[in-house]
Amino acid sequence: MHNMCIRPTPEELEDFGTPDFTIYNAGQFPCNRYTHHMTSSTSIDINLARKEMVILGTQYAGEMKKGLFGLMHYLMPKRQILSLHSGCNMGKDGDVALFFGLSGTGKTTLSTDHNRYLIGDDEHCWSENGVSNIEGGCYAKCIDLSREKEPDIWNAIKFGTVLENVVLDEHTREVDYMDSSVTENTRAAYPIDYIPNAKIPCVGPHPKNIILLACDAFGVLPPVSKLSLAQTMYHFISGYTALVAGDRGWHQGATGNIFSLLWCSIYNDASYQVCGHAV
């Protein structure tokens, strides 16, 4: 979480008092399965009144990250701010793009574009002043990662980066990114400034382009689509996607790996351009 949260400056630490929120992570220590309505040895519980989160029965680091994101979903609307599960980057002319999608659909890959400034790869807020990153790091999927396909993410994996669920050669200590024997949901957590073109601080103006990512393994969505404003709103609310490895609901029933992405442009006058689809 040191990599994933916004890290305070030494000056801020000098005046640090009581934490606003506390996470108690017990790792593999299970919850009591005999508790009423408890059907699993894993539980993630948030107490908004006590400002605490307790994690039992899982070592998946994403539970801490997503737990805080869930907290922001509760707090930000109270301030008239929209919290978004999205990647975000900005062009050299100040044009901001948002990439919506479930885990594993390509938000980190597409937002980490060496031709654009990275604002963040997963969690953002959109207010009257523009967009801002909730986090201070990236949580990149690294299954099948290669230097050729994703050079910026590859180069960000260095001293200080935390790798999760990956397989190491016991002699050379080299990582085999092709190995999914533990899970396909392998991860690399690194500070956002490990990406050379990260925009620090991670803020930007109102988005010009919105991209909805759908990992359609079943052919429900066509490869290329143009959507009206009403259709864009419908598909955003519906949240259609196939089950993918980055999603906790993933299972072997998701066949195929068709990667499709859906985008629409928002202009300054709040009118919407029709949307398209690209593979």
Side-chain angles (χ1 to χ4, degrees):
M1 290 303 288
H2 175 77
N3 282 356
M4 294 308 304
C5 292
I6 298 175
R7 290 159 294 282
T9 64
E11 293 76 18
E12 290 172 330
L13 285 174
E14 288 181 2
D15 298 327
F16 185 79
T18 304
D20 294 321
F21 197 81
T22 303
I23 300 174
Y24 299 100
N25 191 337
Q28 284 187 321
F29 187 84
C31 62
N32 185 354
R33 298 187 66 178
Y34 296 100
T35 303
H36 192 48
H37 294 307
M38 184 65 66
T39 60
S40 169
S41 60
T42 299
S43 70
I44 297 91
D45 301 287
I46 295 179
N47 188 316
L48 295 172
R50 297 179 58 171
K51 299 180 179 178
E52 294 176 343
M53 177 166 63
V54 177
I55 300 173
L56 298 171
T58 176
Q59 290 182 297
Y60 180 50
E63 301 296 355
M64 294 185 288
K65 162 189 165 65
K66 291 302 182 185
L68 292 180
F69 192 31
L71 178 68
M72 297 298 281
H73 281 325
Y74 174 76
L75 294 176
M76 291 300 100
K78 291 177 174 291
R79 303 183 182 183
Q80 302 300 307
I81 297 174
L82 182 64
S83 51
L84 307 169
H85 187 199
S86 67
C88 184
N89 63 23
M90 186 178 76
K92 294 178 173 58
D93 296 327
D95 53 303
V96 169
L98 285 177
F99 300 85
F100 289 92
L102 293 182
S103 298
T105 55
K107 296 188 302 299
T108 299
T109 300
L110 293 171
S111 58
T112 309
D113 183 340
H114 63 273
N115 293 315
R116 296 172 65 85
Y117 300 112
L118 175 64
I119 293 178
D121 78 322
D122 196 53
E123 302 174 6
H124 294 87
C125 286
W126 189 352
S127 71
E128 294 180 350
N129 300 318
V131 294
S132 59
N133 192 353
I134 292 173
E135 302 179 299
C138 299
Y139 196 53
K141 275 180 64 73
C142 49
I143 188 70
D144 298 332
L145 179 67
S146 68
R147 187 192 301 271
E148 294 72 28
K149 293 180 180 178
E150 299 174 272
D152 288 337
I153 296 176
W154 177 279
N155 292 330
I157 300 177
K158 55 187 178 182
F159 183 80
T161 297
V162 177
L163 294 177
E164 183 179 15
N165 294 330
V166 300
V167 177
L168 302 176
D169 184 286
E170 60 179 310
H171 301 295
T172 65
R173 307 294 290 172
E174 292 184 358
V175 179
D176 182 359
Y177 293 110
M178 307 296 289
D179 193 325
S180 60
S181 58
V182 177
T183 175
E184 287 198 18
N185 192 22
T186 56
R187 296 283 179 169
Y190 48 85
I192 194 168
D193 55 15
Y194 277 23
I195 300 296
N197 58 333
K199 186 179 183 300
I200 308 295
C202 302
V203 297
H206 292 294
K208 180 180 180 181
N209 301 288
I210 294 181
I211 302 172
L212 308 179
L213 302 172
C215 191
D216 182 8
F218 303 105
V220 174
L221 297 176
V224 177
S225 301
K226 290 187 176 181
L227 304 183
S228 65
L229 171 59
Q231 290 172 323
T232 304
M233 295 169 65
Y234 171 82
H235 284 287
F236 178 79
I237 296 298
S238 298
Y240 172 79
T241 188
L243 298 174
V244 291
D247 183 14
R248 285 171 234 175
W250 177 83
H251 57 75
Q252 295 298 327
T255 58
N257 59 351
I258 301 172
F259 181 79
S260 49
L261 57 91
L262 175 67
W263 75 87
C264 73
S265 295
I266 301 180
Y267 293 103
N268 291 332
D269 61 359
S271 63
Y272 287 70
Q273 187 183 12
V274 292
C275 304
H277 229 228
V279 176

